[in-house]
Amino acid sequence: NLEGFIPISHLAEEGRGVNPGKFVGEVFDVKLLEKDRRKRRLVLSRRMLVEEAVEEQRNKFYTTVSEGDILEGRVSSITSFGAFINLGPIDGLVHISELSWKRNVKPKEVVKKGETVKVKVIGIEQENNRVSPSIKQTQPDPWSIVEENWKIGDKASGVVTNVTDFGAFVEVGPGIEGLIHIGDLSWARIKHPRDVLKKGQNVEVVVLDVDAEKKRMSLGY
């Protein structure tokens, strides 16, 4: 017949944002913060035990997981700069550059909130409690098989990703970007590549050269 009081800040990890009504009828362990027999007062904490358990799980995570490991996680949230993946006791951010080999993708085009994905651990900073996972590195680097898929003389369709003074870059496949040198843009003399192509344009090109080691592809328009 003893009742104790848990301040809302000690109910859960998220603190003040939690609705205390959701705990009605629930059974859980608590830690004693304060006891006053004269005032018949007990002050308790659930959050401290939850945090201790999470900290124990995190320590176990850091002792068992290494860079290069492949893990499964759940997409917990999506932002403009990437996606957070819940790996159990910790959330890791897959930066937008590590979502896909394809350039200029939007996070929502690659993952959906709540889905389970495979990630490769590419960085661990235990002192900062930070893990860097990658989705694209669970898949082969497209340049490792580029010479199998692309031969000199092959025709390809792609999207212009950038236009510079010396030519235009075209993505002909996920992660495979080639350069159309200004001299291979037109049979006529041109002042600038923008006279022929613009960023975002769909084009057909011919493969002129492939160098997998240097990750370079020369294209002709």
Side-chain angles (χ1 to χ4, degrees):
N1 295 322
L2 287 177
E3 259 190 2
F5 175 71
I6 304 179
I8 194 166
S9 61
H10 276 273
L11 265 176
E13 282 184 288
E14 55 266 34
R16 295 187 179 276
V18 71
N19 173 19
K22 74 175 187 177
F23 292 97
V24 173
E26 192 174 328
V27 178
F28 47 75
D29 292 332
V30 292
K31 196 168 191 173
L32 180 64
L33 296 181
E34 186 183 329
K35 177 177 70 175
D36 190 323
R37 183 185 294 271
R38 185 173 56 84
K39 293 182 180 179
R40 291 179 170 271
R41 184 169 70 184
L42 295 173
V43 181
L44 313 167
S45 173
R46 173 184 177 273
R47 191 197 76 203
M48 291 178 73
L49 288 181
V50 171
E51 288 177 345
E52 286 174 8
V54 170
E55 185 63 27
E56 187 178 331
Q57 291 171 0
R58 281 177 182 157
N59 290 334
K60 184 179 179 182
F61 178 91
Y62 287 122
T63 56
T64 57
V65 174
S66 305
E67 286 188 23
D69 287 354
I70 304 293
L71 307 175
E72 275 198 352
R74 181 180 55 82
V75 180
S76 55
S77 64
I78 300 173
T79 71
S80 59
F81 51 84
F84 285 93
I85 310 298
N86 181 261
L87 300 171
I90 191 169
D91 275 18
L93 170 65
V94 178
H95 189 265
I96 190 169
S97 62
E98 291 295 330
L99 281 170
S100 172
W101 290 107
K102 189 175 181 180
R103 283 175 58 91
N104 302 321
V105 296
K106 295 179 180 177
K108 289 184 178 179
E109 295 173 349
V110 182
V111 293
K112 294 179 181 178
K113 187 176 179 179
E115 78 170 320
T116 300
V117 294
K118 283 188 177 181
V119 295
K120 183 177 181 178
V121 179
I122 59 173
I124 296 178
E125 296 178 42
Q126 185 172 356
E127 62 277 8
N128 297 320
N129 200 32
R130 185 183 299 163
V131 174
S132 300
S134 170
I135 291 177
K136 80 174 187 182
Q137 292 193 38
T138 61
Q139 304 152 2
D141 182 342
W143 282 101
S144 65
I145 54 173
V146 68
E147 290 177 338
E148 298 173 22
N149 297 330
W150 304 99
K151 309 292 183 188
I152 293 174
D154 284 354
K155 290 184 178 180
S157 297
V159 178
V160 178
T161 57
N162 195 20
V163 178
T164 69
D165 292 340
F166 53 84
F169 289 91
V170 177
E171 187 175 40
V172 294
I176 302 295
E177 197 174 54
L179 170 66
I180 308 173
H181 189 268
I182 188 171
D184 293 307
L185 275 169
S186 173
W187 294 111
R189 287 181 63 87
I190 58 173
K191 291 182 178 180
H192 196 280
R194 282 195 297 268
D195 296 339
V196 180
L197 297 177
K198 60 182 179 181
K199 188 175 179 179
Q201 184 177 339
N202 291 304
V203 294
E204 285 196 0
V205 292
V206 173
V207 178
L208 302 180
D209 190 35
V210 179
D211 190 330
E213 190 176 335
K214 294 181 180 179
K215 295 187 175 182
R216 289 179 182 171
M217 180 183 285
S218 298
L219 305 170
Y221 178 63

